[in-house]
Amino acid sequence: MTKPQQFSPPRGTCFMSIIAIIGNKGGVGKTTLAINLATLLSEQAATCLLDADPQGSILHWAAMVDNANMPAVFDATANVGNAVAQYRDDYQHILIDCPPQLQSEQTQAALASADVVVIPVLPSPLDLWATVAVNEGIASARESNPDLKALLVINQMEPSTKLSKLIRDVIQELGIPAATTTLNRRVVYRASVLQGKSVSQMGRTGAFAADEMRNLLAEILAI
Ligand SMILES: Nc1ncnc2c1ncn2[C@@H]1O[C@H](COP(=O)(O)OP(=O)(O)OP(=O)(O)O)[C@@H](O)[C@H]1O
Ligand SMILES: [Mg+2]
């Protein structure tokens, strides 16, 4: 097991982050990342998770949660910009789970408000090529949000070195930096949601997943 990196900010520093999980494809892991990253952040600092997807997956998950150590969850589908403005003074970290359409008003508002956008992608060239539109969306969001940072995350990786190398080669052509950490395909990502938990709350079954998620979070906070 690789040693998870440290992701907590230095003591005494004022550190705030707005992280949007976006994409132009369904089922790539946006909600999974949002739940797990927000839960890890909530162990360190006041964190809220905004459900900006009309599918309401985060709200469904939150209804199953039976644990005090969880991020606060709010429905932000009606107006993401207003929700960010409303909660930014009360929470150190805000995560936004977006619908699978780049052009949706929720994703556009998230692009306008975020410090960082995280884009999960499946390890397939077809999925990666679909992110070209995301790159264009980020470029146009930077006209009004010039400091916006972006990070691709390969999710549901299969243990294949050859595939991993091929995928890295395709990613290089896309123009969006990719996280060094990849998330493997693991049953615990599904099982944890069913139990209203994050992978870091699944004990030994979730240990590998929790480690990769901590490593990813450290990368996101460092960009
Ligand atoms: N690394 C992983 N290993 C195994 N299963 C995963 C992994 N990541 C996500 N999943 C599963 O894949 C499915 C789709 O994930 P998720 O709902 O997070 O995607 P999404 O991008 O939010 O989808 P949508 O666009 O419909 O909102 C879920 O069943 C989830 O549990
Ligand atoms: Mg989702």
PDB file of all heavy atoms in Angstrom, residues 30-32 53 55 57 97-98 100, ligand 2:
ATOM      1  N   LYS A  30     -18.131  11.083 -11.302  1.00  0.00           N
ATOM      2  CA  LYS A  30     -18.183  12.437 -10.722  1.00  0.00           C
ATOM      3  C   LYS A  30     -18.733  12.393  -9.287  1.00  0.00           C
ATOM      4  O   LYS A  30     -18.145  12.950  -8.358  1.00  0.00           O
ATOM      5  CB  LYS A  30     -19.064  13.370 -11.577  1.00  0.00           C
ATOM      6  CG  LYS A  30     -18.495  13.633 -12.966  1.00  0.00           C
ATOM      7  CD  LYS A  30     -19.386  14.554 -13.781  1.00  0.00           C
ATOM      8  CE  LYS A  30     -20.726  13.945 -14.139  1.00  0.00           C
ATOM      9  NZ  LYS A  30     -20.635  12.715 -14.965  1.00  0.00           N
ATOM     10  N   THR A  31     -19.878  11.738  -9.143  1.00  0.00           N
ATOM     11  CA  THR A  31     -20.503  11.714  -7.814  1.00  0.00           C
ATOM     12  C   THR A  31     -19.656  10.912  -6.821  1.00  0.00           C
ATOM     13  O   THR A  31     -19.516  11.292  -5.652  1.00  0.00           O
ATOM     14  CB  THR A  31     -21.928  11.125  -7.924  1.00  0.00           C
ATOM     15  OG1 THR A  31     -22.659  11.942  -8.852  1.00  0.00           O
ATOM     16  CG2 THR A  31     -22.642  11.119  -6.594  1.00  0.00           C
ATOM     17  N   THR A  32     -19.053   9.844  -7.311  1.00  0.00           N
ATOM     18  CA  THR A  32     -18.180   9.029  -6.444  1.00  0.00           C
ATOM     19  C   THR A  32     -17.018   9.880  -5.924  1.00  0.00           C
ATOM     20  O   THR A  32     -16.696   9.847  -4.731  1.00  0.00           O
ATOM     21  CB  THR A  32     -17.646   7.816  -7.249  1.00  0.00           C
ATOM     22  OG1 THR A  32     -18.763   7.090  -7.752  1.00  0.00           O
ATOM     23  CG2 THR A  32     -16.779   6.917  -6.403  1.00  0.00           C
ATOM     24  N   ASP A  53     -26.563  18.483  -9.508  1.00  0.00           N
ATOM     25  CA  ASP A  53     -27.080  17.599 -10.560  1.00  0.00           C
ATOM     26  C   ASP A  53     -28.555  17.302 -10.302  1.00  0.00           C
ATOM     27  O   ASP A  53     -28.889  16.745  -9.245  1.00  0.00           O
ATOM     28  CB  ASP A  53     -26.269  16.292 -10.552  1.00  0.00           C
ATOM     29  CG  ASP A  53     -26.671  15.358 -11.684  1.00  0.00           C
ATOM     30  OD1 ASP A  53     -27.676  15.634 -12.372  1.00  0.00           O
ATOM     31  OD2 ASP A  53     -25.967  14.350 -11.875  1.00  0.00           O
ATOM     32  N   GLN A  55     -30.243  14.984 -11.126  1.00  0.00           N
ATOM     33  CA  GLN A  55     -30.469  13.569 -10.783  1.00  0.00           C
ATOM     34  C   GLN A  55     -30.512  13.367  -9.261  1.00  0.00           C
ATOM     35  O   GLN A  55     -31.051  12.369  -8.785  1.00  0.00           O
ATOM     36  CB  GLN A  55     -29.344  12.680 -11.332  1.00  0.00           C
ATOM     37  CG  GLN A  55     -29.293  12.574 -12.829  1.00  0.00           C
ATOM     38  CD  GLN A  55     -28.144  11.659 -13.286  1.00  0.00           C
ATOM     39  OE1 GLN A  55     -28.369  10.516 -13.644  1.00  0.00           O
ATOM     40  NE2 GLN A  55     -26.917  12.173 -13.262  1.00  0.00           N
ATOM     41  N   SER A  57     -28.199  12.571  -7.002  1.00  0.00           N
ATOM     42  CA  SER A  57     -27.499  11.410  -6.421  1.00  0.00           C
ATOM     43  C   SER A  57     -26.915  11.712  -5.036  1.00  0.00           C
ATOM     44  O   SER A  57     -26.975  10.874  -4.138  1.00  0.00           O
ATOM     45  CB  SER A  57     -26.363  10.957  -7.335  1.00  0.00           C
ATOM     46  OG  SER A  57     -26.800  10.854  -8.661  1.00  0.00           O
ATOM     47  N   ASP A  97     -20.941  18.774  -7.130  1.00  0.00           N
ATOM     48  CA  ASP A  97     -21.147  17.622  -8.022  1.00  0.00           C
ATOM     49  C   ASP A  97     -22.044  18.065  -9.178  1.00  0.00           C
ATOM     50  O   ASP A  97     -23.198  18.452  -8.968  1.00  0.00           O
ATOM     51  CB  ASP A  97     -21.810  16.471  -7.245  1.00  0.00           C
ATOM     52  CG  ASP A  97     -21.995  15.242  -8.119  1.00  0.00           C
ATOM     53  OD1 ASP A  97     -21.125  14.974  -8.967  1.00  0.00           O
ATOM     54  OD2 ASP A  97     -23.011  14.533  -7.950  1.00  0.00           O
ATOM     55  N   CYS A  98     -21.502  18.007 -10.382  1.00  0.00           N
ATOM     56  CA  CYS A  98     -22.209  18.569 -11.553  1.00  0.00           C
ATOM     57  C   CYS A  98     -22.878  17.481 -12.392  1.00  0.00           C
ATOM     58  O   CYS A  98     -22.490  16.320 -12.352  1.00  0.00           O
ATOM     59  CB  CYS A  98     -21.216  19.348 -12.423  1.00  0.00           C
ATOM     60  SG  CYS A  98     -20.671  20.871 -11.621  1.00  0.00           S
ATOM     61  N   PRO A 100     -23.903  15.546 -16.024  1.00  0.00           N
ATOM     62  CA  PRO A 100     -22.976  15.110 -17.075  1.00  0.00           C
ATOM     63  C   PRO A 100     -23.088  15.889 -18.384  1.00  0.00           C
ATOM     64  O   PRO A 100     -22.887  15.320 -19.450  1.00  0.00           O
ATOM     65  CB  PRO A 100     -23.357  13.626 -17.271  1.00  0.00           C
ATOM     66  CG  PRO A 100     -24.771  13.540 -16.850  1.00  0.00           C
ATOM     67  CD  PRO A 100     -25.000  14.588 -15.813  1.00  0.00           C
TER      68      PRO A 100
HETATM   69 MG    MG B   2     -23.337  11.822 -10.749  1.00  0.00          MG
END
